[in-house]
Structure formats: structure tokens, C-alpha cells
Amino acid sequence: MTYELDFSTQYGQFYLVDKGSKNHTEVKDFWSDQAFSDRLGETGSMLGILIENDLTTVKGRLEILDGPPSELEPEAEHIVETSLVLDSGILELQDCPSSRILVEIPLEKGTYRIRISSYHISEPYATKSDEVNDRYLLQVWKEHQASEKRVLRQFDRF
């Protein structure tokens, strides 16, 4: 399954959430210096994903896969992955700060691996237009047990 992403959000972030979870971004260290560097804040049932443009626009796609991708996206400037537990069996895509539900995806209850590949974050605006250029690919697949967050390709702004 593939879902196209084209929505507005604020504060340079959006969320993937286990439906009905009570996690909030105010928890200690959700947006720590390390989380900002990794471009991913997390709790057990909520992920906060950073976007680069400040026009509040998210573009890209979300893919539900049968297993892990065979290789890293060659054009992505930053790639990070982590686990997310879905006790409800429903993955929600939410905006920030209102947590408006943009997409609900029914999945089997359990633990999932989420890989976020970020494109064009070094140049988040299209030249000669007001359109955003940064794009995001979210890939989701079931895993047997949760594993640690891993940065597979680091974007270094400085």
C-alpha cells in the first residue's frame, strides 16, 4: 500500500502514532539535541518527524512493505529508522500541533520498523518558485521485536 503525502503542518514536524496512545512531545528528551540531529523524536508509540522547509508543507509518500527494503535510497540525504509498537493495530499520520488525523492505516497489532528517508533537505525550496523541494519517504514493515533507533545516513547541516 502506498499513501501520497501532501499536507500542512507546523513547527517543522509531523507524527506517526499508535491510535489512542497517550504519548506527547512534552515527554523528557522527546526533542533532545540528539533527536534533532537524528531528525526523529520518539516514544514507544509515537514518532515525531522533522521537515526542513518552514512553509509548513509535507510532501512525499508512505509505503507499507512486506519486509525491509533491500537497499538504502541512493538519493536520500538523511535516513533514520526505529521501531513503533502498534497496540491498537491502527497507524495514524498526524499534523502538528493539533494532532489532526490525516491518514489512518489498519495494520496487524505488533511492532513495526519505520524508515524515514529525507530528500533535498540541503535545498528545501525549489529554485525560481515558492514551492517546497524537500520530500520524505516513510517505509513501514512488521518486525519480530523492537530494536534501537539507527541513523543509516546522517545529514550534517554545518
Side-chain angles (χ1 to χ4, degrees):
M1 288 187 284
T2 299
Y3 300 84
E4 295 301 318
L5 306 179
D6 187 358
F7 62 90
S8 293
T9 192
Q10 294 180 12
Y11 301 105
Q13 61 191 285
F14 66 98
Y15 311 120
L16 286 179
V17 181
D18 177 30
K19 182 181 179 106
S21 68
K22 301 294 183 216
N23 291 316
H24 302 285
T25 59
E26 293 85 23
V27 298
K28 187 178 191 269
D29 295 330
F30 186 86
W31 285 123
S32 66
D33 290 343
Q34 186 63 54
F36 273 109
S37 176
D38 296 344
R39 306 181 62 80
L40 181 67
E42 61 182 336
T43 67
S45 56
M46 178 181 191
L47 303 180
I49 301 161
L50 290 182
I51 65 169
E52 193 63 25
N53 76 78
D54 57 7
L55 296 176
T56 71
T57 303
V58 176
K59 292 190 181 255
R61 72 179 184 275
L62 186 151
E63 299 174 341
I64 307 300
L65 307 174
D66 292 330
S70 59
E71 56 188 50
L72 298 179
E73 293 288 318
E75 302 298 318
E77 292 180 291
H78 185 86
I79 303 172
V80 60
E81 65 181 38
T82 195
S83 296
L84 182 68
V85 177
L86 293 182
D87 288 329
S88 71
I90 298 177
L91 178 64
E92 293 180 339
L93 178 72
Q94 299 178 356
D95 76 340
C96 177
S98 68
S99 298
R100 178 175 47 110
I101 299 167
L102 304 163
V103 176
E104 280 190 339
I105 304 168
L107 297 168
E108 183 181 326
K109 291 180 182 182
T111 303
Y112 287 81
R113 195 73 178 161
I114 315 287
R115 180 179 292 173
I116 300 105
S117 300
S118 303
Y119 301 83
H120 310 296
I121 55 178
S122 61
E123 296 181 16
Y125 306 100
T127 56
K128 300 179 186 175
S129 78
D130 292 334
E131 196 169 314
V132 298
N133 193 39
D134 53 332
R135 299 286 186 270
Y136 302 89
L137 172 63
L138 287 61
Q139 296 170 302
V140 179
W141 65 93
K142 191 123 180 1
E143 67 177 351
H144 297 293
Q145 65 182 13
S147 51
E148 297 293 316
K149 174 170 54 173
R150 293 185 330 152
V151 176
L152 304 173
R153 186 174 297 145
Q154 179 71 51
F155 173 72
D156 189 5
R157 178 175 289 119
F158 306 103

